[in-house]
Amino acid sequence: ALFFARHRPDWAMTEVLLLWASIVVLMVYTWRASPFASLLLLPYFAWVTFAAALNWQVVKLNAPFGSG
């Protein structure tokens, strides 16, 4: 929503950090019940990391935001 609807990829980077943290917490808690299930979250973590890298490039190439 921040990236596409609000056109604020800089704010979306903050959202990505929160998403990363929530994935890690989910992996830790899932590990206790099923290590295999926890490992199945690694592709999701990798996908979010890839999306964050793309988002970061948009931020670098198009800054500053919020001035228009």
Side-chain angles (χ1 to χ4, degrees):
L2 292 173
F3 189 95
F4 292 107
R6 298 284 183 201
H7 305 285
R8 291 303 303 253
D10 52 341
W11 293 353
M13 281 305 300
T14 304
E15 184 179 30
V16 167
L17 296 175
L18 296 173
L19 183 56
W20 269 332
S22 70
I23 295 168
V24 169
V25 167
L26 180 60
M27 289 177 74
V28 167
Y29 280 103
T30 306
W31 185 270
R32 295 175 185 168
S34 170
F36 180 69
S38 182
L39 292 175
L40 289 175
L41 290 167
L42 284 175
Y44 179 49
F45 186 81
W47 172 250
V48 171
T49 302
F50 177 70
L54 293 176
N55 187 37
W56 178 247
Q57 290 301 314
V58 169
V59 169
K60 281 185 8 182
L61 294 172
N62 296 295
F65 294 95
S67 60

